[in-house]
Amino acid sequence: MIFKTLTLNNFRVFNGETTIELTPRKQGVFERPIILFGGLNGAGKTSILTAIRLALLGRRALGTVITKKDYQAYLNEQTNNAATKEDPNAEATIQLSFTHTHQGEHKLYKITRTWQAESEEKLTLTVNGVVDEALTNDQVQAFLHELVPPGIGDLFFFDGEKIAELAEDDTGTYLKEAVQKLLGIDIINRLNTDLDIYLKGLGAEAADKDTRKKIQAAEDEKRTITHDVEATRVKIDELGSILTDIKSKIANKEAEIQSQGGAWAETKEQEQAKINDLYELEKELTSKIRHELSGTLPMALAPNAMQGLIDRLSEDQKIKQAKAFGSELNQALPALQDKITANFDEQSSDIMATINSYFGQLTAEYGMASPELDISDSEFALIQAQFKEGQQSQRLLKELSTALEQVQDKLSSLSINIERAPDAADLKELYESLRALEKERDTVSKEYINELLKAKTLKTKELELAKRLEKFYAKLKNNHSADKAVHRVQQSQYVLDDFKTALTELRVTQLEELFVTAYRKLARKEDLKLSAKIDPQSFDVNLVDAQGAVINRKSMSAGEKQIFAFAILEALGKLSGKVLPVVVDTPLGRLDSKHRDKLIKHYFPEASEQVILLSTDTEVDQDFYNAIEHQVSHAFEIEFNQATSCSTLREGYFWAELAKEAV
C-alpha cells in the first residue's frame, strides 16, 4: 500500500480544501521513502495522523467500545471552527487515495468520508476512478478493515504518546493486547466466550420457568452492574489521565523554578532534602493505602448490613444445631423409654412426661424455624474472618490517611518556607502556581481514590452475581453433559485452548528474534550484545545482557525506553506480515542525540516503502535534516495563523533552503 494524496476539507485546523501529495518521489532510479512534515506545536501535525487513521479505521480509530452517537459527536468536533462559524451546517471531508494490490490486482483506491452536523457520516469507495455504489458504509468499512485491521493499524500509524505509553509499560499490557490482535487470539477468546454462551443457552432452554426467571433476573442485574463498573473505570481512567497531566505540570513547574532560581542557600537545600524525604514517605503511605484498598476493606464499608448478615447466619447456625440435637434426641427416646419402663414400671409414664416436657422446651424455640441462608460452617467462619479483617483494614486506612494528610501538610508548609527564602523572592509567582497545582493534585487524588473504592464495591457485587450464575449454569450444564452438542462444544474449547497456547509460543519466539534484530540496529554500540526474553503469559519483554542477567527496565533512561518501544513496534509490524506506510507523529521528543541519530539513520529510512514523519523544529533540526535529506522525497511546513486559528501548507521545511545552500 502506498498513499497517493490526502485531501482535507474543513478538517480540524485546515479551513477549506487542502490537498497533500504523498507519493514518494524518485531521485534517479531510487525512490526516497520519507515525506517530512514540519510544524510547531499546535500547528496541525496531529491532524495529518488523525485524518489518515480516521480515513482507514473509521470509528475503530477511537477504540473498540465507541458508540455511533459518540463517534458522530467526535466527527462534529473535528469540523473546522472557522467553517462552522460561517455555516453551522458546514461539511467536512477526508479523502485518502492509495494504491494497493488486492487479490492479485494492483488498483487505485480512494476513500472519502464526509459529515456535517445532525447527519450521519457518508463513506464512499472509489476503485480505479469508479465509485462502488453497491456497497453500504458498513461494507466499505469491512473492506478497509481487511486491508488494515485496527489492531495492526496501531503498529503503523502512531504518535509520540503511544511510544511513551509503550516505553513506560512495565506490565506488558499493551504488548499483550497487540500480540493477541495480531495473532487473532482476541477472536479465539471471543469464540470461546460465544461457545460458553451457547452452552448456557442449551441449559437455559431446558430449565424450568422458575429457574429461567432467576437466571434472567441475575443476568439483568449483572448487566447493569457491569455497565456501572465500565462507567466507573472510564471515570478512573479520565482522573488518572488528569492526575498524570497535573503531575507532569508540577514536574515542569519545579524544573522551571530550579532553572530560574540560581544557587540555593544552605537552608533552602535542607528544606528541599526534607521535601524529598517526605515525597518518599508520601509514596510509601500511598502504596500502603492502595494495598489496603485492594484487600477486604469493602467488607467494612457497610457495617450494619454485614453485622446483620452475621447475626442472621449465627441464628441459622443455632437453628441447625437445635434441629440436629432434636433429631438425635428423637432417635434416643424410644430406647430410653424402654429402659425406664423396665426399671420404673409404675412411674415410667410420669418420668417420660417430665423428660419430654424438659427437652421439648429446649428444642421448641428453634424446632419450627428453618435457616434462611444455608451455608457451611467453614463459609460462615470465612465471612466472619473477612469482616473482622475488613474492620482492621478500615482502622489502618484511617491511620494511614491521617498520616498522609500530615505529610502533605508538611509538604505544603515546606513549599511555603522555600518560597519565602530570600533568594527565591523573584520566584513567588512560580511557587504560587506550584502550590495551586499541588492543591489541584490533592483534590483529584481524593476523587480518584473514591472512584477506586466505588469500583471495588461494584466489582465485588459483579463477581458475586457471576458466581451465582455460574452455579446455575453448571447445574444445568451437568443435566445436559451427555448431549452430543455439549460434548462437541467442550472438545472445541479444548482444541482452541491448545491452539492458542501453541500459536502464542511460536509467535513469541519469532517476536523475540525480530525484536533483538530491531533493537540491536537502533541501540548504541555498548548495547549490541543484549538479547530479549518475552513471557508468553504476561508478554512482558525482558532485556538480557551477555551474562544472562535481566536488565531492570525502570533503570533505563527515557531515550533508551523509547528505542526499546520503537524496536517492539518494528518487530510487531514485521510479524504482522503487512506492508503498510508508517506514519509517526513527534517521535523524537525524549531522545538524546546518539539515539536520534540511530533512529533517523536506521529506522525511518528502512521502516517502510513510505514513511510520513510529523516533526517539530527541535526534533528534526537542521543537523538531522541534513543527515536524512538524501532519503527525503519531499517536505511540507505547516504554518499556523494566530489570527484565523487555521493552518496552511507550503512545500519545504524549516531548514530546507539552508540545506540546499550547504550542498
Side-chain angles (χ1 to χ4, degrees), residues 242-243 246 249 435-445:
I242 293 171
L243 201 55
I246 293 171
K249 288 179 179 177
R435 286 202 307 276
L437 286 169
E438 288 173 342
K439 185 176 180 180
E440 185 180 359
R441 178 198 62 193
D442 294 341
T443 301
V444 176
S445 293

Side-chain angles (χ1 to χ4, degrees), residues 124-255:
T124 58
L125 172 66
T126 302
V127 184
N128 290 336
V130 179
V131 177
D132 193 336
E133 297 179 348
L135 297 179
T136 64
N137 277 19
D138 290 340
Q139 289 170 332
V140 173
Q141 190 59 68
F143 169 73
L144 292 174
H145 283 169
E146 288 179 14
L147 297 184
V148 185
I152 305 300
D154 290 338
L155 306 177
F156 291 89
F157 318 134
F158 53 87
D159 57 17
E161 289 183 5
K162 181 62 70 177
I163 288 291
E165 178 184 337
L166 180 54
E168 298 294 342
D169 179 26
D170 296 325
T171 64
T173 302
Y174 178 84
L175 187 61
K176 184 173 185 176
E177 181 182 347
V179 173
Q180 286 185 334
K181 289 179 179 178
L182 194 62
L183 305 183
I185 291 174
D186 57 330
I187 297 174
I188 295 176
N189 291 336
R190 286 203 304 272
L191 178 56
N192 249 325
T193 302
D194 291 342
L195 289 173
D196 278 335
I197 293 171
Y198 172 71
L199 286 177
K200 291 175 182 177
L202 284 179
E205 288 175 5
D208 59 79
K209 185 177 180 181
D210 184 55
T211 302
R212 286 201 302 270
K213 188 176 179 181
K214 289 179 180 178
I215 290 174
Q216 187 60 51
E219 289 281 11
D220 291 343
E221 186 179 357
K222 182 174 178 292
R223 195 176 298 111
T224 300
I225 291 177
T226 301
H227 178 270
D228 292 341
V229 168
E230 180 60 26
T232 306
R233 186 192 64 77
V234 170
K235 180 69 173 176
I236 289 171
D237 289 344
E238 290 175 355
L239 289 171
S241 178
I242 293 171
L243 201 55
T244 301
D245 183 55
I246 293 171
K247 288 180 179 178
S248 176
K249 288 179 179 177
I250 288 174
N252 292 336
K253 191 67 66 177
E254 288 172 343

Side-chain angles (χ1 to χ4, degrees), residues 309-422:
L309 173 63
I310 289 172
D311 291 342
R312 179 64 264 170
L313 291 173
S314 298
E315 286 297 309
D316 284 355
Q317 294 298 103
K318 291 179 181 178
I319 291 171
K320 287 160 66 176
Q321 291 169 2
K323 285 184 177 292
F325 173 76
S327 176
E328 292 180 5
L329 180 64
N330 289 334
Q331 292 177 9
L333 280 176
L336 178 62
Q337 185 172 5
D338 292 340
K339 205 81 168 169
I340 290 173
T341 300
N343 294 320
F344 307 94
D345 187 21
E346 296 180 357
Q347 297 176 326
S348 61
S349 297
D350 294 337
I351 292 171
M352 283 306 301
T354 302
I355 290 172
N356 286 330
S357 174
Y358 177 79
F359 286 110
Q361 289 176 0
L362 288 179
T363 58
E365 183 179 354
Y366 297 104
M368 301 301 294
S370 297
E372 294 183 15
L373 303 171
D374 192 11
I375 67 172
S376 66
D377 292 346
S378 61
E379 289 173 331
F380 178 45
L382 177 61
I383 291 174
Q384 285 181 307
Q386 287 179 333
F387 180 46
K388 185 176 180 181
E389 186 180 335
Q391 290 176 318
Q392 293 173 346
S393 180
Q394 190 177 39
R395 287 192 292 271
L396 180 56
L397 181 64
K398 186 176 180 180
E399 293 172 5
L400 291 171
S401 299
T402 301
L404 181 61
E405 187 175 353
Q406 290 172 350
V407 168
Q408 290 173 342
D409 287 343
K410 289 179 182 178
L411 282 170
S412 180
S413 298
L414 285 172
S415 296
I416 294 172
N417 291 341
I418 290 174
E419 181 204 348
R420 289 173 179 171

Side-chain angles (χ1 to χ4, degrees), residues 1-66:
M1 177 184 287
I2 295 292
F3 297 149
K4 307 295 285 184
T5 60
L6 175 66
T7 300
L8 307 175
N9 179 41
N10 295 333
F11 181 71
R12 293 176 68 125
V13 295
F14 295 98
N15 188 19
E17 186 172 295
T18 301
T19 298
I20 308 168
E21 176 62 47
L22 297 176
T23 308
R25 300 170 186 172
K26 289 186 177 182
Q27 179 71 21
V29 295
F30 299 103
E31 282 192 353
R32 298 183 171 191
I34 298 176
I35 295 91
L36 180 62
F37 288 81
L40 302 178
N41 290 327
K45 300 185 302 301
T46 303
S47 297
I48 307 295
L49 173 63
T50 302
I52 291 173
R53 285 177 55 83
L54 198 56
L56 293 170
L57 303 178
R59 195 197 313 180
R60 288 293 297 273
L62 310 182
T64 56
V65 290
I66 302 300

